[in-house]
Amino acid sequence: MQWTVGDTQREAMAYIPATAKTKASPLIFVFHGHGGTMENAYQSHRFEKLWPEAIIVYPQGLNTPGQLTDPQGKLPGWQKENGDMNNRDLNFFDQMLKTFQADYKIDDKRIYATGHSNGGGFTYLLWATRADVFAAFAPSSAVSRKAAGQLKPKPAMHIMGEQDPLVKPEWQKLMYNMILKLNSCDPQGKPYGEYATYYPSKSGNPVVLYIHPGGHVYPTEADEVVVKFFKAIEKR
């Protein structure tokens, strides 16, 4: 699919179920990491196999200077904070959402975002700037210091590799501990699958922490847990 945002051509791959025009459909946005592509995100996750009734959108980023790698911005990624790059990616998101809501029967209580690394940072930015659109978020291997102070309580799942060499685990722990506090979560979690712990919330905004032993990756095994979590959450 293609959009013109300002004077820039943008694109995304999308899985559209056959029932999308007649039945209220969940909508999931999946943002690749810095240097990634929409094709790679699609091949890596295949969320449509886990939730075939949902519309799954894999947007393509534009060349972006990286915070940890690629300072020249030769590889694709996403804006890092509100106002960055004239909000080119937030504007892209707004146009994508408008198109899907116009062309398909979207279940407005079931809109979700997930993303890895820089795409996880953009997921946090969507939480900070577009929270009312979404039911829940699932960032992977990401932090967003600027967005952190702008978050409102929302159901969330944070995916982290204990050996992440890029986005340090201690940075991510600060982020997810802040979210547990923001969401008024119970201090004691409950098992939610391998590597996953579910923290109930007094405010109705539960958090799942998926802490795996790997590095800077979004494990395919996490996909099932993400979909399980999203399926359980409707926007209130």
Side-chain angles (χ1 to χ4, degrees), residues 58-87:
Y58 300 88
Q60 177 61 52
L62 298 176
N63 287 1
T64 309
Q67 280 182 299
L68 301 172
T69 60
D70 185 32
Q72 289 81 31
K74 295 178 180 178
L75 299 172
W78 308 96
Q79 72 177 88
K80 294 167 189 64
E81 56 188 80
N82 196 9
D84 190 18
M85 299 178 172
N86 295 315
N87 277 339

Side-chain angles (χ1 to χ4, degrees), residues 18-32:
T19 54
K21 286 185 180 287
T22 57
K23 188 177 177 184
S25 303
L27 177 60
I28 303 176
F29 291 89
V30 184
F31 296 95
H32 63 71

Side-chain angles (χ1 to χ4, degrees), residues 51 78 141 168 204 222:
W51 201 352
W78 308 96
S141 301
K168 306 294 186 192

Side-chain angles (χ1 to χ4, degrees), residues 39 74-75 95 113 115 130 137 139 145 149 155 186 201 208 232-233:
E39 292 92 352
K74 295 178 180 178
L75 299 172
Q95 287 209 29
R130 304 289 189 270
F137 301 91
R145 293 184 186 89
D186 294 354
S201 161
V208 170
I233 303 292

